[in-house]
Amino acid sequence: MGKMRVLAAILSIVAADEASAERTLAEGKALFEQHCAICHGNDARGRGTAAHSLDTKPADLTKIAARREGVWPMLEIMSIIDGYTKQFNPREQMPIIPEVTGGRKINFDTGNGIVTPAPVRLLALVEYLEAIQSPRPERYVP
C-alpha cells in the first residue's frame, strides 16, 4: 500500500508539472497574440496586419531555430524581446513591451550555472516561441 501512495504522489507531481507547462504555453500564446501578432501575424510567420508599414519585414518566428542550424538560443531570444541588449535586435521598430518584461519574477537558470530573476511573462512568451518552431530545435544553448 505504501508503494501505491508513493506512485500516486509521483503521478500527481507529473500531472501538476504538465498542467503548469500547458498554462505557461497558453499564457505565452496569449501574450504573443496581444503584443506580437500585429506585426508577426497570428501564425508568427511575419505577415501581421502592420507588417507592410514597417521598414524591415518582421521575422518568421517559427524558423528561429532553423535559421540557427537547429539551435534554440533562449537567452538571445529573451534579449531581443526584453530589449536589454540591443546587440541582437536588427530592427529599430521592435518595441519593448512592459507587459512582458515587467511583473512577477522567478529565479531562472540561464543554462550556464547562473541563476537570475527573470520575468515570468517573458519566459512564457519565449517558451511559446520555442513550442512553435518548425522544425523542432535539435540543440539548445543558453
Side-chain angles (χ1 to χ4, degrees):
M1 198 62 139
K3 289 181 184 178
M4 294 302 283
R5 282 192 205 132
V6 170
L7 181 57
I10 291 171
L11 291 176
S12 70
I13 290 169
V14 170
D17 284 347
E18 288 176 6
S20 176
E22 287 176 22
R23 280 193 303 277
T24 298
L25 286 179
E27 180 180 13
K29 181 178 182 181
L31 287 165
F32 179 85
E33 290 170 348
Q34 183 178 8
H35 300 288
C36 310
I38 191 163
C39 295
H40 292 280
N42 289 328
D43 63 359
R45 297 188 191 280
R47 300 179 298 232
T49 57
H52 69 282
S53 66
L54 300 174
D55 295 334
T56 302
K57 183 181 186 268
D60 179 342
L61 300 180
T62 68
K63 301 293 183 191
I64 295 169
R67 288 191 298 271
R68 289 161 177 78
E69 299 178 359
V71 175
W72 178 250
M74 183 146 185
L75 294 179
E76 177 185 344
I77 302 309
M78 289 172 69
S79 180
I80 290 170
I81 295 168
D82 75 11
Y84 181 70
T85 68
K86 289 291 185 178
Q87 75 184 57
F88 292 120
N89 188 352
R91 299 165 309 280
E92 289 298 320
Q93 295 172 309
M94 176 76 178
I96 296 172
I97 305 162
E99 293 83 3
V100 172
T101 59
R104 187 171 72 87
K105 296 183 179 196
I106 60 170
N107 285 332
F108 170 70
D109 182 347
T110 61
N112 56 7
I114 299 171
V115 176
T116 187
V120 171
R121 290 177 286 210
L122 174 61
L123 293 171
L125 180 55
V126 173
E127 287 181 18
Y128 170 72
L129 293 174
E130 179 187 345
I132 64 170
Q133 294 305 293
S134 177
R136 304 286 309 143
E138 298 169 9
R139 297 181 318 278
Y140 297 82
V141 296

